[in-house]
Amino acid sequence: MELQEKLRVLSDAAKYDVSCSSSGSNRKNTPGGLGSASEAGICHSWTEDGRCVSLLKILFSNECVYDCIYCMNKNSNPVERANFTPREVIELTLNFYKRNYIEGLFLSSGVVRNPDYTMEQLLAVVKGLREAKFNGYIHLKGIPGADEALIHAAGNYVDRMSINIELPSEKSLLSLAPQKKKESILKPMASLKEELAVYQSEKKISKHTPAFLPAGQTTQMIVGASPESDLNILRLSEGLYHRYSMKRVYYSAYIPANENRRLPALQTKPPLLREHRLYQGDWLLRFYGFTAKELLNPGNPNFDLDLDPKCFWALENLGLFPIEINKATYEELLRIPGVGIRSARKIIKARRVAALNYQDLKKIGIVLKRAKYFITCRGKYYGGIALYPENIRRQLIQKPKNHHQQLSIFDLYEKSILKTEAKSKVLGEL
Ligand code: SF4
């Protein structure tokens, strides 16, 4: 198979991994036009400091000896198969980099022959790239079940590694991916965590300490292929953050690819809005001091798709509100819908000089459209309605009709319900 053909097959097969946030499009140049776009697997990802980087996103191989029921590349699916050699991936990456198409590589793979063999191939790629003096970003998938020595060796060459947990419970793993074992996923995560801790403490002593996963480890979970609630999913994420020092948990709305009675029907739309709510809930765990069991409970195990998770929590805990903006602690401010980390800090700083009035809050950047129902300012309540959950909920939901549908990703940004949220998400305000 020609290299270009392999690239087409293996970049298309990589699109189900969401740790990179967008995939390439295919557009031919027009007469008199400028430029063209190729589907050759260039995607964009965001670094810790918010920079957008373009990555070559490919599978090393879409052959797989496993038969995970939900996966397009499972062994029993009659899809077109292709394999790179390590040398081919190295050359492709270097050539794309030299032409300024990419700033790094995102490499995953199906399990070819067995986990050790696959990990050896991936290791050969990343080692070869560094030996060729490639200093760009590399995000590598660790293969569950591979020898830990191979996974660790790869950690010496790559910036970030993810070992995907894929399904939110052992029961679902047994049902949908029976050849994968929980231990083969969690054990390498635990040993990467230990190695990372050693690296971080040695780095404090000597800045010449050889790098080991400087961008940490991440994982991915499929949402909607199995019956777990948002509570189950967030509790698992919380455990992963605490126990394995995970940098990020990515949520991937399940796209029905295979017909099977254990999976949602083929015509089921990917639960994109649910995925979005989980990302918001995850954000509250990581940056706002919430715990999973505060946000959700067995009586309310799923987020309300109409409300962002902080509004949802606030309505469930309305007894804690309204909060006086001029007296609240930093932690209390963070719990007010519409007050983000930056605005909470600004409030604390500004009120040292003088008590804030309602106009000041606008200037500080608080999303008053949400916050006004949950605060008082100099003792005055600006919500304009009685403090009952249903009253406030009605006001917070802009489009109460047709709200039970799952939207497509493109619809999301059309709908005004999410326009405001998309903007506030960029600003980190929830
Ligand atoms: S191991 Fe990965 S590539 Fe192979 S079938 Fe399972 S999910 Fe698909």
Side-chain angles (χ1 to χ4, degrees):
M1 191 186 267
E2 292 283 316
L3 191 58
Q4 185 69 27
E5 268 305 283
K6 289 188 185 182
L7 190 57
R8 180 185 62 75
V9 174
L10 292 168
S11 56
D12 186 60
K15 71 185 175 197
Y16 296 97
D17 203 305
V18 294
S19 314
C20 270
S21 308
S22 69
S23 290
S25 62
N26 202 16
R27 195 181 319 102
K28 285 201 168 58
N29 197 358
T30 49
L34 184 67
S36 59
S38 160
E39 62 191 347
I42 294 176
C43 72
H44 300 93
S45 195
W46 278 267
T47 59
E48 285 297 295
D49 58 5
R51 262 183 335 116
C52 177
V53 291
S54 46
L55 303 175
L56 174 62
K57 180 181 180 182
I58 47 173
L59 294 191
F60 180 80
S61 170
N62 68 340
E63 275 182 22
C64 193
V65 291
Y66 290 176
D67 211 39
C68 306
I69 289 171
Y70 54 85
C71 177
M72 193 51 150
N73 297 318
K74 66 176 185 166
N75 186 275
S76 57
N77 260 6
V79 295
E80 191 178 12
R81 305 280 175 178
N83 288 289
F84 281 125
T85 64
R87 181 52 37 204
E88 284 172 336
V89 180
I90 292 168
E91 279 169 10
L92 270 175
T93 309
L94 294 176
N95 285 335
F96 274 38
Y97 191 83
K98 283 177 190 161
R99 287 184 198 144
N100 224 4
Y101 292 167
I102 56 162
E103 289 161 277
L105 172 69
F106 178 98
L107 184 63
S108 183
S109 183
V111 182
V112 190
R113 295 191 206 169
N114 56 57
D116 280 350
Y117 175 81
T118 314
M119 202 63 221
E120 278 165 14
Q121 301 302 301
L122 299 180
L123 174 59
V125 172
V126 296
K127 187 165 183 267
L129 274 169
R130 295 305 188 211
E131 283 170 356
K133 308 267 183 253
F134 175 72
N135 285 319
Y137 180 86
I138 304 178
H139 181 161
L140 185 72
K141 290 282 155 171
I143 304 295
D147 189 323
E148 276 178 34
L150 291 168
I151 294 179
H152 276 236
N156 293 314
Y157 301 106
V158 306
D159 295 274
R160 173 169 278 187
M161 195 183 298
S162 32
I163 296 168
N164 285 350
I165 198 150
E166 301 288 20
L167 294 159
S169 74
E170 193 171 9
K171 194 171 162 209
S172 293
L173 199 63
L174 274 171
S175 160
L176 302 181
Q179 289 142 310
K180 286 185 183 165
K181 300 284 165 272
K182 182 179 151 199
E183 296 69 40
S184 68
I185 298 167
L186 297 183
K187 247 181 102 204
M189 276 182 188
S191 70
L192 285 180
K193 179 204 165 181
E194 277 171 29
E195 191 74 28
L196 267 164
V198 173
Y199 161 64
Q200 274 148 7
S201 67
E202 285 179 359
K203 202 173 68 167
K204 282 184 199 146
I205 300 163
S206 165
K207 61 178 182 180
H208 300 298
T209 304
F212 183 83
L213 299 184
Q217 63 168 329
T218 61
T219 192
Q220 172 182 296
M221 222 184 293
I222 301 170
V223 176
S226 50
E228 291 80 8
S229 64
D230 293 348
L231 174 61
N232 299 137
I233 291 173
L234 274 200
R235 286 189 78 153
L236 177 57
S237 300
E238 193 171 53
L240 291 168
Y241 285 125
H242 290 154
R243 257 174 265 139
Y244 302 101
S245 309
M246 220 33 85
K247 265 279 194 258
R248 281 295 297 273
V249 176
Y250 290 93
Y251 305 95
S252 172
Y254 173 64
I255 304 168
N258 302 319
E259 189 129 37
N260 190 292
R261 66 183 167 77
R262 279 178 263 174
L263 290 172
L266 275 182
Q267 57 276 17
T268 310
K269 286 192 175 178
L272 293 168
L273 191 46
R274 183 178 176 205
E275 176 195 281
H276 177 67
R277 294 292 177 230
L278 282 166
Y279 272 117
Q280 291 180 314
D282 184 283
W283 193 265
L284 293 179
L285 295 186
R286 290 188 297 139
F287 301 111
Y288 285 72
F290 282 89
T291 61
K293 71 173 194 246
E294 274 181 306
L295 291 171
L296 296 160
N297 56 66
N300 255 330
N302 293 304
F303 288 123
D304 183 337
L305 293 182
D306 291 331
L307 292 171
D308 77 57
K310 208 208 264 187
C311 286
F312 176 68
W313 171 83
L315 291 184
E316 290 293 310
N317 293 277
L318 210 49
L320 303 175
F321 297 97
I323 288 177
E324 170 54 46
I325 280 284
N326 285 298
K327 290 190 181 147
T329 62
Y330 175 70
E331 289 72 24
E332 285 168 340
L333 289 171
L334 281 186
R335 298 206 159 209
I336 302 170
V339 177
I341 292 167
R342 288 190 320 165
S343 38
R345 283 192 192 132
K346 280 187 192 167
I347 291 169
I348 299 277
K349 200 171 163 197
R351 75 186 187 192
R352 278 190 205 128
V353 182
L356 300 171
N357 62 40
Y358 199 64
Q359 293 311 315
D360 295 330
L361 301 184
K362 272 189 196 157
K363 286 183 212 144
I364 278 173
I366 290 178
V367 186
L368 285 171
K369 201 168 136 196
R370 292 202 287 277
K372 67 180 177 185
Y373 303 110
F374 303 97
I375 58 169
T376 56
C377 190
R378 293 190 177 188
K380 188 172 172 195
Y381 181 67
Y382 289 85
I385 52 170
L387 210 58
Y388 292 115
E390 261 319 302
N391 282 358
I392 299 174
R393 188 173 184 282
R394 260 197 302 276
Q395 298 299 319
L396 289 170
I397 297 170
Q398 293 182 357
K399 292 205 169 184
K401 284 185 186 152
N402 304 325
H403 58 281
H404 291 303
Q405 61 181 350
Q406 281 293 350
L407 306 174
S408 92
I409 188 113
F410 302 106
D411 289 337
L412 288 182
Y413 293 94
E414 292 300 310
K415 304 276 175 189
S416 58
I417 184 173
L418 284 176
K419 262 188 185 164
T420 329
E421 287 190 14
K423 188 172 155 230
S424 43
K425 195 176 162 198
V426 171
L427 298 169
E429 311 284 322
L430 268 170

